[in-house]
Amino acid sequence: MRLLEKGLHGGLGIGNLGAVVAGHGVGKTSFLVGVAIDELLRGGTVLHVALDQTVSHVRDFYDTVFEALATQTHLDDPAVTHAEIDNRRRIRAYVSADFSATKLADAVKIESEAGARPSLIVLDGLDATTIDGVDLAGIRALARELAAEVWFTLQSASEKVDGLPGGWARLADDISVVLALEPDGEVVTLRALKDHENEDLQDLNVGLDPRSLLLIRS
């Protein structure tokens, strides 16, 4: 995450939306779970919204990525740390056709009233056929109100990512950062397609483990 923030001239930034684009099975969910765990380890609170997935399925992703992280970094007392970050993470599951900015705002209100106001929102599985410009603008307004970052996943038709897929191109103005995940031999590479208003996109030079999406080359 520090390499990503450096390559993106400081990172996503509060109040902004970031998209991660990749082909099927490349690791979009694992990558965003890694982003979420990083936020949790820094003391933040995460709301993970899973579309067309179960809560237990998402929780398994968190456990897998955390276990790999704890092993790789020789984390002190991983069981205690795991319990602490679990207490600051909320997972909500929706059918994508029923999801909207209003549903997200309702979820945030409930979590905030319970003392879990999110500093990061993860939206896994957004579909341009069910999310329109009004919804995306509403999500961005919510991020600004919360002073939170929002990351979401988009599926590309192929493993080589050329840009925002399908109907998402028309919504590009509301998205501050776009990242591409692409398999490259035994690693998954991370590439910036959009970095706020910066035209000089820097090479992130990041290679990720294809199972855990943790850093293995920089």
Side-chain angles (χ1 to χ4, degrees), residues 1-120:
M1 289 304 297
R2 305 296 82 73
L3 287 171
L4 177 59
E5 290 168 358
K6 181 179 178 181
L8 293 177
H9 302 87
L12 178 57
I14 60 175
N16 293 324
L17 309 186
V20 179
V21 187
H24 178 71
V26 173
K28 298 182 294 295
T29 298
S30 292
F31 179 78
L32 285 195
V33 166
V35 173
I37 288 176
D38 181 79
E39 177 68 14
L40 292 165
L41 289 172
R42 291 197 280 178
T45 301
V46 173
L47 173 61
H48 187 122
V49 175
L51 303 177
D52 299 324
Q53 301 176 56
T54 64
V55 171
S56 61
H57 179 71
V58 175
R59 190 178 290 118
D60 287 343
F61 269 102
Y62 276 88
D63 290 344
T64 297
V65 174
F66 180 82
E67 287 169 9
L69 175 66
T71 299
Q72 180 176 308
T73 61
H74 307 290
L75 189 67
D76 293 334
D77 211 343
V80 172
T81 302
H82 190 275
E84 289 175 350
I85 67 174
D86 272 359
N87 287 334
R88 286 183 279 104
R89 181 205 64 207
R90 302 291 187 271
I91 302 171
R92 287 181 171 262
Y94 298 88
V95 175
S96 58
D98 295 333
F99 181 72
S100 65
T102 300
K103 290 281 184 69
L104 178 61
D106 290 343
V108 166
K109 180 180 179 181
I110 292 170
E111 298 298 350
S112 297
E113 290 175 349
R117 181 185 177 96
S119 56
L120 171 68

Side-chain angles (χ1 to χ4, degrees), residues 128-170:
T129 63
T130 56
I131 294 290
D132 57 22
V134 174
D135 276 315
L136 209 59
I139 293 170
R140 188 171 188 175
L142 180 62
R144 290 175 173 174
E145 178 184 337
L146 292 169
E149 294 183 350
V150 177
W151 282 99
F152 59 94
T153 60
L154 301 177
Q155 183 163 312
S156 172
S158 65
E159 291 184 343
K160 178 63 176 177
V161 179
D162 296 321
L164 289 170
W168 286 99
R170 61 186 169 80

